[in-house]
Amino acid sequence: MTQFKTLPDIPQLKDKAVLVRVDMNVPIQDGRITDTSRIDRIQPTLDYLINHGAKVVLVSHLGRPKGKADPELSLKIIADYLGVALSQAQAGDELDTAVAKLKPGQVMLLENLRFYPGEEANDPVLAKAMAKPFDIYVNDAFAVSHRAHMSVEAIAHQLPAYAGLLMEEELMALQQALTSPQHPLMAIVGGAKVSTKLQVLENLCQKVDTLVIGGAMANTFLLAQGYDVGASLVESELCETAQNILQQASCTILIPTDVTVADEVSATAKSIDKPVSEVCLPDMILDAGPETVAAIEEMLGVTKTVVINGPLGVFEIPPFDLGTVAILKTIARLTQAGHLVSVAGGGDTVAALKHAEVESDMTYISTAGGAFLEWLEGCKLPGVEALTS
Ligand code: ADP
Ligand code: MG
């Protein structure tokens, strides 16, 4: 893993103007923040900077305003939640003046960065103007570090750049899980489609000892092995790719041997467990079966590190949550007993962890969706690279 500098490496923080990129892209419904976890997790960085007497300016994006001001996507609601002032100052004289007025330990939030076209364009001119009143840049937004945007990439070349505490925590956890993990290492990849996670599967095959393929993407692998998948969600055009993955993998691959099927995706549908060899129309495969779950659990018993992305079934609609919940609870128990290091990420994966009531029992849950996936693909993340060069 490449080296980056962190907050304790900053020689002097007192009276310094610090620009901090955070990810406060939180879900908002009817004018209320429905999940504050992304904001809450930047608090340690904020406290550190305040306690060291820095003048702090936070920047973030919210939603996709596409380079135009949109009152619906104002960060006002976030400023209120944080109890700090929201400044409308734009890069240039306005921002210079606003920053000059800050006192040590004071915090200010700037308006949604994506109101300006230069943000997503990674505009170096905007980066220069933005950087001008600051002494230091801190990136605490791992969740957007897969985007080469101005506040993530270009700006890091304009100022001495450091990783914030959350960024550091994310990078260390991911490194512990894949770069230098304790073996045996297992990855559980599930979810809706093979196509969105092809690269992930190909990269993981080279790194893990056991790869568990679940969710609808397992259907494509079952089809590739010659099974009938009935009316299941499947990507038949990826059969050959699936076959190649199966043939070339240097790891053990676990694919369901039995499944839970129903003839419609609904809570009232009659669900049946059956071996994969008996699936036929009008069956839809909606979850891993009990035999498969037991096989994964047995493997988990001898595993030291597990990376999780994607549910094993349609966990939003019981009883098709049984496989996902059982596996997540087993991982939680083994993690809590000190037998397993568990790292999870992905939007629906986090929802599944909450559904199984084990969000606080994993070793680490990444705040990132897209960045976590790109990292699993083995990609270099522009925001992280910029901190190291
Ligand atoms: P993440 O957001 O964690 O990366 P994905 O977005 O890839 O996960 O996939 C999550 C979705 O996959 C869930 O909405 C779930 O209902 C769906 N899914 C899982 N298994 C199946 C299945 N067998 N058939 C259809 N959809 C499935
Ligand atoms: Mg998803």
Side-chain angles (χ1 to χ4, degrees), residues 54-217:
K55 305 170 184 175
V56 182
V57 175
L58 300 172
V59 284
S60 177
H61 72 283
L62 176 66
R64 294 172 184 265
K66 298 256 154 72
K68 279 201 291 279
D70 176 353
E72 294 268 301
L73 293 173
S74 169
L75 296 190
K76 177 80 173 73
I77 182 171
I78 291 162
D80 290 347
Y81 175 78
L82 278 171
V84 305
L86 178 73
S87 166
Q88 301 292 339
Q90 296 200 24
D93 294 344
E94 280 176 28
L95 181 63
D96 297 354
T97 311
V99 175
K101 282 187 190 151
L102 282 177
K103 298 192 175 62
Q106 229 179 356
V107 181
M108 179 171 91
L109 174 65
L110 294 188
E111 189 51 286
N112 194 341
L113 285 167
R114 290 194 187 163
F115 285 0
Y116 312 107
E119 166 64 3
E120 292 188 65
N122 201 23
D123 180 2
V125 179
L126 180 61
K128 222 182 171 107
M130 185 115 216
K132 191 166 157 260
F134 295 99
D135 304 298
I136 292 160
Y137 166 72
V138 171
N139 185 351
D140 214 20
F142 175 74
V144 280
S145 60
H146 59 313
R147 303 276 181 229
H149 291 173
M150 184 281 293
S151 65
V152 176
E153 210 280 329
I155 193 97
H157 304 293
Q158 298 292 333
L159 290 165
Y162 298 85
L165 299 175
L166 175 60
M167 171 72 95
E168 184 184 0
E169 190 182 86
E170 295 262 11
L171 293 174
M172 299 311 275
L174 297 186
Q175 182 171 17
Q176 189 188 9
L178 271 198
T179 317
S180 53
Q182 272 208 350
H183 287 267
L185 167 63
M186 180 194 281
I188 300 178
V189 184
K193 288 183 177 171
V194 176
S195 49
T196 56
K197 294 184 183 174
L198 204 54
Q199 228 85 73
V200 174
L201 292 174
E202 283 169 351
N203 183 45
L204 287 176
C205 269
Q206 315 298 320
K207 300 219 162 111
V208 304
D209 303 299
T210 307
L211 175 63
V212 175
I213 302 176
M217 73 165 68

Side-chain angles (χ1 to χ4, degrees), residues 341-362:
V341 169
S342 52
V343 177
D348 293 286
T349 306
V350 174
L353 287 165
K354 287 189 178 154
H355 175 69
E357 298 178 345
V358 293
E359 328 122 79
S360 47
D361 297 338
M362 300 289 120

Side-chain angles (χ1 to χ4, degrees), residues 295-328:
I296 300 170
E297 286 177 330
E298 194 181 318
M299 201 63 125
L300 278 168
V302 294
T303 296
K304 291 263 171 57
T305 309
V306 64
V307 180
I308 309 141
N309 173 258
L312 294 182
V314 184
F315 74 97
E316 300 94 333
I317 305 172
F320 310 111
D321 59 340
L322 288 176
T324 304
V325 169
I327 294 298
L328 293 180

